[in-house]
């Protein structure tokens, strides 16, 4: 009867009848000589419990007594003593483990176990539960991961240029430090984010103004991990010369400006001399009139017949008749004279009109 009662009590125990669960990342990369953080959380059927009543233990999956972490450091195996600690608070169901100074034999698997003390002062535990199906195993990395550079293929001279350097890691408590061989620390911005559970990424965004002298130079990003294992990545910077149209704009502007100044100068000069010429014309007459008067004065003052004499000679030239054409009325008989006069057949000499004479002189 007593055995039956003990069996019923055991079956009705909360630890047995209710479910305890743990969530542990099963596989992680671990960089030798650096550190690693194992995300871990758990749930239990007792409801909220103070951290003082909970005991968290990490041990090897093959031996429950080989502790890699315990509140009592004396119980930790020598190879892990001083290298492990819990980052989370057990009262918040956080059992995250940190291991530093990773050795190449720290590959695991390692499992978590929770123990519940009777009271905060009574350290003896009655409930214990090991999550042997939720253990973590490490992939040992002897070389640190290389950073990844993201950037445009070509930079433009005197224009902002951005290069992003990123590297993944498994130790957010000691993040890698990213540095550049170009620019200053205040020119870079760092971003830290969780890529997935158990894997984090740190980014450094460098922005600078490339110059012509930076063409074909190297830009290097270096990642320094905990305990100073380093890796780096290098890119070659190609700087494209900025489009410059000054060799076209400046001569064009100078030419247009010169043409405008010359045009203004010509307009002012024309106005100035036009006014001067108008004044001279009003005062002395036109130059042509002056030259005409001078020419007539020279002809009248020089040798030769005067204008009046020339005009007389012209009239006399046309008024003379040859002797053969003269009518001698004295030697003509009277009857002829009278007859001729009576008949009116005596021809009167013709003289050219003044208008015709002037036209002939002009033609001559």
């Amino acid at each position: 009867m007593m055995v039956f009662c003990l069996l019923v009590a055991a079956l009705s125990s909360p630890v047995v009848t209710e479910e305890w669960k743990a969530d542990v990342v099963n596989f992680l990369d671990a960089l030798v000589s650096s550190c690693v953080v194992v995300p871990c959380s758990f749930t239990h059927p007792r409801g909220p419990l103070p951290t003082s009543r909970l005991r968290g233990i990490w041990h090897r999956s093959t031996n429950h007594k080989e502790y890699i972490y315990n509140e009592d450091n004396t119980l930790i195996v020598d190879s892990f003593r001083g290298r492990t600690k819990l980052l989370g608070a057990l009262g918040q169901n956080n059992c995250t483990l940190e291991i530093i100074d990773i050795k190449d034999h720290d590959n695991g698997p390692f499992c978590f176990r929770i123990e519940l003390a009777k009271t905060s002062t009574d350290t003896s535990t009655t409930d214990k539960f090991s999550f042997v199906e939720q253990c973590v195993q490490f992939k040992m990395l002897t070389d640190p991961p290389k950073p990844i550079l993201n950037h445009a293929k070509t930079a433009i001279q005197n224009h902002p240029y951005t290069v992003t350097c990123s590297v993944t890691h498994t130790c957010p408590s000691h993040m890698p430090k990213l540095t550049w061989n170009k620019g200053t620390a205040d020119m870079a911005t760092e971003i830290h984010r969780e890529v997935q559970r158990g894997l984090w990424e740190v980014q450094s965004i460098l922005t600078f103004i490339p110059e012509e002298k930076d063409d074909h130079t190297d830009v290097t990003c270096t990642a320094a991990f905990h305990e100073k294992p380093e890796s780096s990545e290098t890119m070659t910077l190609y700087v494209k010369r900025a489009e410059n149209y000054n060799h076209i704009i400046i001569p064009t502007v100078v030419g247009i400006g010169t043409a405008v100044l010359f045009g203004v100068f010509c307009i002012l000069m024309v106005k100035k001399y036009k006014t001067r010429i108008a004044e001279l014309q009003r005062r002395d007459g036109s130059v042509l009139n002056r030259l005409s008067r001078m020419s007539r004065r020279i002809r009248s003052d020089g040798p030769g017949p005067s204008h009046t004499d020339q005009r007389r000679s012209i009239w006399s030239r046309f008024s003379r008749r040859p002797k053969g054409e003269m009518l001698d009325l004295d030697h003509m008989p009277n009857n002829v004279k009278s007859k001729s006069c009576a008949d009116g057949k005596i021809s009167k000499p013709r003289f050219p009109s003044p208008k015709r004479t002037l036209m002939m002189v002009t033609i001559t």
Side-chain angles (χ1 to χ4, degrees):
M1 186 66 177
M2 184 177 293
V3 174
F4 178 75
C5 292
L6 291 175
L7 181 60
V8 172
L11 293 175
S12 61
S13 173
V15 176
V16 177
T17 57
E18 297 185 24
E19 189 175 10
W20 289 62
K21 293 182 179 180
D23 186 7
V24 180
V25 177
N26 299 123
F27 296 96
L28 287 175
D29 292 337
L31 178 61
V32 175
S33 76
S34 185
C35 62
V36 64
V37 171
V38 182
C40 172
S41 62
F42 67 95
T43 58
H44 57 82
R46 297 297 182 89
L49 292 172
T51 302
S52 58
R53 290 192 59 191
L54 297 172
R55 304 288 182 265
I57 298 172
W58 283 86
H59 59 85
R60 284 191 182 275
S61 62
T62 56
N63 188 351
H64 293 186
K65 296 295 183 179
E66 189 176 347
Y67 302 140
I68 67 170
Y69 172 78
N70 195 304
E71 288 184 357
D72 187 354
N73 287 333
T74 61
L75 299 178
I76 300 177
V77 295
D78 293 340
S79 59
F80 282 92
R81 187 173 298 161
R83 297 197 295 122
T84 59
K85 69 176 181 179
L86 286 181
L87 296 181
L90 294 176
Q92 298 175 359
N93 299 340
N94 190 338
C95 51
T96 299
L97 175 70
E98 177 193 67
I99 306 175
I100 63 173
D101 191 17
I102 294 292
K103 309 299 182 182
D104 57 3
H105 54 76
D106 295 341
N107 54 332
F110 304 110
C111 305
F112 176 68
R113 187 173 80 203
I114 187 72
E115 296 181 354
L116 180 61
K118 291 181 179 180
T119 63
S120 299
T121 58
D122 186 359
T123 58
S124 61
T125 57
T126 57
D127 297 332
K128 301 176 182 179
F129 197 90
S130 292
F131 305 97
V132 292
E133 295 181 357
Q134 294 290 324
C135 301
V136 63
Q137 188 169 359
F138 299 132
K139 176 184 177 182
M140 312 310 294
L141 302 178
T142 56
D143 296 322
K146 278 185 168 292
I148 298 175
L149 296 178
N150 292 318
H151 57 88
K153 292 183 179 180
T154 305
I156 300 177
Q157 181 183 353
N158 298 327
H159 285 68
Y161 184 70
T162 300
V163 184
T164 301
C165 177
S166 60
V167 65
T168 56
H169 62 95
T170 55
C171 188
S173 57
H174 300 281
M175 292 186 300
K177 181 65 177 177
L178 299 179
T179 57
W180 299 89
N181 70 328
K182 186 178 292 292
T184 57
D186 58 350
M187 298 172 62
T189 303
E190 282 196 0
I191 300 175
H192 190 254
R193 66 188 185 94
E194 186 176 10
V195 179
Q196 62 186 38
R197 196 158 186 259
L199 184 64
W200 293 265
E201 180 185 64
V202 60
Q203 287 185 350
S204 180
I205 303 172
L206 175 68
T207 302
F208 63 98
I209 306 296
E211 301 177 359
E212 187 175 358
K213 64 180 181 180
D214 295 322
D215 190 26
H216 288 80
T217 58
D218 291 337
V219 178
T220 302
C221 175
T222 302
F225 293 82
H226 184 59
E227 297 300 332
K228 298 186 178 178
E230 294 185 352
S231 64
S232 61
E233 186 66 21
T234 300
M235 59 158 286
T236 301
L237 180 64
Y238 297 98
V239 180
K240 182 180 179 181
R241 186 175 179 181
E243 295 293 341
N244 191 345
Y245 297 98
N246 290 339
H247 62 287
I248 299 175
I249 296 174
I250 293 177
T252 303
V253 172
V254 171
I256 294 174
T258 303
V260 170
L261 292 176
F262 182 75
V264 172
F265 175 76
C266 291
I267 292 173
L268 294 176
M269 293 300 295
V270 167
K271 288 184 176 180
K272 178 180 178 181
Y273 285 98
K274 188 175 181 180
T275 304
R276 180 62 178 166
I277 291 171
E279 292 177 355
L280 292 175
Q281 288 178 346
R282 287 195 300 268
R283 185 175 61 186
D284 298 329
S286 66
V287 177
L288 294 177
N289 292 336
R290 294 180 63 187
L291 293 176
S292 178
R293 289 197 298 270
M294 291 175 64
S295 175
R296 288 197 298 270
R297 189 179 301 116
I298 293 171
R299 288 198 300 269
S300 63
D301 294 342
S306 64
H307 184 69
T308 305
D309 295 339
Q310 290 179 357
R311 186 166 55 185
R312 288 177 181 174
S313 63
I314 292 172
W315 283 105
S316 62
R317 185 186 307 169
F318 288 99
S319 62
R320 293 176 186 158
R321 291 182 58 88
K323 292 181 179 180
E325 295 179 359
M326 294 296 295
L327 294 177
D328 190 1
L329 298 177
D330 295 335
H331 298 285
M332 292 180 65
N334 293 329
N335 58 351
V336 174
K337 291 180 183 180
S338 60
K339 184 179 180 179
S340 298
C341 293
D343 295 335
K345 293 182 178 180
I346 298 175
S347 62
K348 183 179 179 181
R350 284 187 168 182
F351 297 98
S353 65
K355 182 175 180 181
R356 182 177 181 85
T357 303
L358 289 175
M359 291 178 61
M360 293 177 64
V361 171
T362 305
I363 296 173
T364 304

